[in-house]
């Protein structure tokens, strides 16, 4: 009985550790799902309007993925190099988001 309890506690402790390893991947998947869902309800008047609408809908997911990407891009950097890496990571994510929305809605510039 004690052995089973110990095994159960060990498994419970291992699950969060494994989940943290996949957190960035899961956040990216959630963002993509949100972008797809938001794009289906986005205004079809133009890409700019669709991007604004979907970004508003997916703000929590965007912030999570942005935080993960900035953290990865700036690891070990400081000063201007850190700022440049942060800006680059944010621009790359913004480009990916706009491209995904364009693909999901079929809208172009």
């Amino acid at each position: 009985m004690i052995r089973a309890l110990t095994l159960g506690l060990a498994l419970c402790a291992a699950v969060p550790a494994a989940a943290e390893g996949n957190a960035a991947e899961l956040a990216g998947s959630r963002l993509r799902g949100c972008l797809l869902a938001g794009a289906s309800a986005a205004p079809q008047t133009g890409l700019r309007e669709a991007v604004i609408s979907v970004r508003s809908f997916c703000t929590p997911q965007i912030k999570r993925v942005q935080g993960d990407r900035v953290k990865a891009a700036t690891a070990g950097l400081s000063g201007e190099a850190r700022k440049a890496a942060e800006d680059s990571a944010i621009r790359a994510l913004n480009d990916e988001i706009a491209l995904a929305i364009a693909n999901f809605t079929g809208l172009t510039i």
Side-chain angles (χ1 to χ4, degrees):
M1 169 111 166
I2 293 177
R3 188 175 182 177
L5 182 59
T6 304
L7 180 61
L9 289 174
L11 287 174
C12 288
V15 169
E20 286 177 20
N22 294 327
E25 186 177 318
L26 183 58
S29 178
R30 287 182 179 158
L31 175 56
R32 187 155 182 85
C34 185
L35 295 174
L36 179 59
S40 67
Q44 296 295 307
T45 55
L47 183 58
R48 181 177 186 276
E49 291 79 11
V51 168
I52 291 169
S53 173
V54 176
R55 284 185 65 93
S56 173
F57 181 70
C58 299
T59 297
Q61 291 82 5
I62 292 170
K63 286 186 179 202
R64 174 65 189 268
V65 171
Q66 180 176 314
D68 291 342
R69 298 238 184 131
V70 166
K71 183 178 178 182
T74 60
L77 298 176
S78 62
E80 288 191 31
R82 181 180 183 85
K83 179 65 176 151
E86 179 180 346
D87 292 345
S88 178
I90 292 170
R91 276 193 307 273
L93 178 60
N94 288 340
D95 289 347
E96 289 176 36
I97 290 169
L99 182 59
I101 294 168
N103 287 334
F104 294 150
T105 61
L107 297 171
T108 59
I109 295 177

